Amino acid sequence: AGQAQDATRLSGWAHSLEARAADTHEDAVALKAHALDEGLAEVVRRYPDRRHATMLQPGFPLVADRVLARYSTWYELFPRSASPEPGRHGTFADVEALLPGIAQMGFDVLYFPPIHPVGRLQRKGRNNALVTEEGDVGSPWAIGASEGGHDAILPALGTHDDFRRLVKQARGLGLEIALDIAFQCAPDHPWVKEHPAWFKWRPDGTVQYAENPPKKYQDIYPFNFESDDWEGMWIALKGVLDHWIAQGVTVFRVDNPHTKAFPFWEWAITEVKRTHPEAIFLAEAFTRPKVMHRLAKAGFSQSYTYFTWRNTKQELVAYFTELSTRPGLDYFRPNVWPNTPDILHAQLQTGSDAMFRLRVVLAAMLSASYGIYGPAYELKEHLPRHEGSEEYLDSEKYQLRHWNRERPDSLAPYIAHLNAIRRAHPALQRNDGLTFLPIDNDQLIAWAKQSPDGQDVIVTVVNLDPYKAQWGMLDFDPVALGLGVEAGQWFQMHDLLGGERFMWQGGRHYVRLDPGVNVAHVLHLLRKTRSERDFDYYQ
């Protein structure tokens, strides 16, 4: 009887809507109200259209990534620039000598750009020049030459044995080597001749080079994922992953995955994780938000973000609120980078020591995973290729560089301190538990992060102005937030970055940050403060 009555009501509603819509004198507002009648909509919801429903077998596979997918600290360097001698091409052995210093800085992932033979045809010169000069080493992302392709190593770096030794040495220091996976080819990559069907050829016998607007990659051929031999290509590309896993690598940074077929990633990542569930894939996808989220759903463990271009207080609050809010929180794991070999943001081009410090504090304290491209970052490399450019002058992408890692103004100790704080505090190892705190100065940004059990609480305040001291009143009431502090109780805030200890009470607190002294407070909440009554001689 109930279904019959519902059917009569819905049928009458449909006929009424049809008749009233045909009436040219009908009031549009009244018709809209009738069409959106909530009572009738509730009836509709009881009878969903199941014509396109799919019946699945009982049970769903559960993919549980290791902790490194949720919490990780990345350091990128070019092995070819690791030589201690100016002008000499670096080797894996040179990188081995750098491992202790990188581990002491508190990083747990050491990421290399492509380590394969670099193409000679259409090779780029210094500063992205289209014409090369004698000795130009080209871009590592132009993969493949007569020495081999994606499963080969640039001979100047070393051999597979050298690489496996490096991976082992790194692991002994708590570092995992991450490799760049760039599925593209230089014009002289062996696959171009062996598998011409994998590329889209023009009538004049050439291949359109790769582009990721506004950037042009004249030295790179893109794969044609609509090739008639797509199955053979997919198998070969997955074979690249299998090859490097066999060398001991299970962390991969994937170059421009959004320019490849999404079904390929779904298949390849699923197949890899079937036998190597420890594998982690970082998507380097600076593209539209929906595309970045789609890649996460396809299986990528982490993703690059827009952090580099989120600079004001309002931008940072809005963006990190989004990143720490469901549903995205449940599947999209951000990895934030203040710089990359491709991106030198205008804020860093001033060379301001305070700006470099505050941007790495934001990255390290806001996100469970972050990375820097070094040693450019800790040495405050800041000159752009030209005014208005986000590319580095004399970029390592196109030439060897020699770095003086012992410079007294290096930020390496500062970054090491930040990473030690991250390792010691569970609150900083997750992206949930983030709450932005009001502070009455738009040049100051403040937030709290707490561990799931509520025992570890970190409050960070950053001065976004690298030139002037800023102050304001911070709203932080641990009583109202349910953080285990009783009403009227004094509590201590220990600045883990600067070492100071502040006694606070209530919910409003004065904060002043002078960028010439410190750009931020990283405050650990200590609920119980000691008094004379805590010592045995008081009894």
Side-chain angles (χ1 to χ4, degrees):
Q3 289 186 1
Q5 290 175 355
D6 288 345
T8 300
R9 291 182 66 191
L10 293 177
S11 178
W13 189 28
H15 288 305
S16 173
L17 286 172
E18 186 176 24
R20 292 176 64 173
D23 185 353
T24 57
H25 300 291
E26 175 66 52
D27 178 69
V29 175
L31 179 59
K32 179 180 178 182
H34 185 50
L36 299 178
D37 183 280
E38 183 56 33
L40 291 166
E42 181 59 35
V43 177
V44 172
R45 284 192 283 268
R46 291 203 288 266
Y47 304 98
D49 183 353
R50 299 188 183 277
R51 287 176 298 172
H52 303 294
T54 300
M55 298 299 293
L56 300 175
Q57 295 296 323
F60 289 90
L62 176 64
V63 177
D65 283 321
R66 54 190 173 125
V67 172
L68 197 70
R70 169 174 58 80
Y71 161 63
S72 53
T73 313
W74 294 54
Y75 186 86
E76 177 179 4
L77 67 76
F78 284 69
R80 69 187 190 183
S81 291
S83 169
E85 305 162 25
R88 179 173 70 78
H89 196 289
T91 66
F92 292 140
D94 294 324
V95 177
E96 275 192 51
L98 299 176
L99 291 178
I102 296 168
Q104 288 170 12
M105 287 175 68
F107 292 95
D108 44 41
V109 178
L110 174 57
Y111 153 54
F112 296 156
I115 58 173
H116 317 297
V118 178
R120 295 179 177 86
L121 295 179
Q122 300 299 116
R123 177 176 286 192
K124 292 289 189 77
R126 296 186 176 207
N127 291 307
N128 204 22
L130 296 179
V131 178
T132 58
E133 299 179 0
E134 183 69 27
D136 281 345
V137 291
S139 166
W141 283 272
I143 296 171
S146 58
E147 298 91 342
H150 284 76
D151 58 355
I153 290 175
L154 181 69
L157 291 173
T159 66
H160 274 75
D161 285 340
D162 297 328
F163 180 74
R164 285 190 292 268
R165 172 185 165 84
L166 172 63
V167 171
K168 183 178 179 180
Q169 293 293 322
R171 189 168 289 123
L173 292 169
L175 284 164
E176 291 203 37
I177 300 297
L179 285 187
D180 194 288
I181 296 297
F183 284 149
Q184 58 208 26
C185 293
D188 42 336
H189 191 296
W191 280 348
V192 176
K193 285 186 177 180
E194 296 170 3
H195 301 282
W198 293 357
F199 307 89
K200 188 175 290 186
W201 297 87
R202 295 185 291 199
D204 64 358
T206 62
V207 175
Q208 173 61 44
Y209 58 75
E211 295 186 67
N212 188 15
K215 296 178 180 178
K216 299 178 183 293
Y217 305 108
Q218 293 88 343
D219 52 346
I220 290 172
Y221 285 176
F223 285 108
N224 176 17
F225 278 84
E226 296 178 353
S227 163
D228 290 339
D229 186 27
W230 64 268
E231 291 179 281
M233 186 176 71
W234 282 26
I235 291 170
L237 295 179
K238 178 184 173 292
V240 172
L241 299 170
D242 294 335
H243 174 82
W244 294 108
I245 289 172
Q247 312 310 310
V249 176
T250 55
V251 183
F252 301 99
R253 179 269 200 187
V254 180
D255 188 72
N256 285 333
H258 57 291
T259 62
K260 284 74 178 176
F262 285 15
F264 166 74
W265 295 122
E266 293 177 2
W267 171 78
I269 292 175
T270 299
E271 288 301 304
V272 166
K273 292 179 80 71
R274 194 186 308 279
T275 52
H276 292 280
E278 72 278 15
I280 290 173
F281 295 85
L282 168 61
E284 185 255 0
F286 295 117
T287 181
R288 297 181 302 278
K290 287 185 178 180
V291 176
M292 295 166 72
H293 282 251
R294 177 69 181 82
L295 288 165
K297 293 177 180 178
F300 279 90
S301 317
Q302 297 182 352
S303 175
Y304 277 45
T305 68
Y306 304 127
F307 167 73
T308 315
W309 302 278
R310 298 297 182 263
N311 309 117
T312 67
K313 178 177 180 176
Q314 292 75 16
E315 290 170 339
L316 289 164
V317 169
Y319 190 46
F320 280 90
T321 297
E322 173 191 330
L323 292 176
S324 61
T325 304
R326 290 184 168 83
L329 174 66
D330 292 328
Y331 62 87
F332 185 88
R333 300 191 191 104
N335 192 324
V336 305
W337 293 67
N339 75 325
T340 75
D342 287 303
I343 304 166
L344 171 65
H345 190 272
Q347 280 199 324
L348 299 180
Q349 293 177 19
T350 63
S352 162
D353 181 270
M355 180 59 78
F356 276 82
R357 289 175 187 265
L358 74 88
R359 288 301 291 179
V360 74
V361 170
L362 289 169
M365 298 296 123
L366 274 169
S367 179
S369 293
Y370 91 99
I372 61 170
Y373 153 53
Y377 198 90
E378 65 263 31
L379 297 182
K380 294 169 284 192
E381 185 87 351
H382 64 277
L383 296 179
R385 200 171 80 201
H386 55 77
E387 186 176 354
S389 172
E390 284 192 338
E391 287 209 59
Y392 285 89
L393 178 66
D394 299 328
S395 170
E396 279 188 282
K397 287 176 61 180
Y398 309 107
Q399 67 185 73
L400 303 182
R401 290 290 302 270
H402 177 258
W403 301 100
N404 178 10
R405 292 175 171 82
E406 304 305 317
R407 265 175 35 190
D409 66 334
S410 171
L411 293 180
Y414 189 78
I415 294 169
H417 193 173
L418 289 173
N419 290 339
I421 293 170
R422 282 165 53 85
R423 287 191 172 183
H425 290 275
L428 301 173
Q429 299 169 13
R430 311 177 65 91
N431 289 317
D432 51 2
L434 171 67
T435 303
F436 283 99
L437 304 172
I439 188 166
D440 58 359
N441 182 335
D442 281 345
Q443 292 298 323
L444 296 175
I445 184 172
W447 66 91
K449 294 191 83 171
Q450 60 178 307
S451 58
D453 61 6
Q455 295 303 303
D456 187 39
V457 179
I458 300 292
V459 173
T460 304
V461 187
V462 179
N463 181 358
L464 300 176
D465 182 348
Y467 306 110
K468 297 178 182 178
Q470 299 287 340
W471 55 90
M473 295 301 295
L474 169 68
D475 289 346
F476 173 65
D477 187 348
V479 178
L481 293 172
L483 299 180
V485 176
E486 298 176 2
Q489 177 185 341
W490 287 88
F491 55 93
Q492 186 180 122
M493 300 296 283
H494 178 202
D495 184 2
L496 303 173
L497 201 52
E500 301 94 340
R501 294 175 183 265
F502 306 100
M503 294 301 299
W504 286 359
Q505 185 185 43
R508 298 264 299 168
H509 316 283
Y510 176 77
V511 176
R512 184 181 186 276
L513 287 168
D514 182 344
V517 180
N518 51 1
V519 298
H521 289 315
V522 178
L523 303 163
H524 181 212
L525 170 63
L526 300 175
R527 296 169 179 82
K528 180 173 173 54
T529 58
R530 305 189 73 183
S531 71
E532 292 292 326
R533 301 185 184 209
D534 293 315
F535 295 91
D536 55 7
Y537 58 71
Y538 184 84
Q539 306 300 325

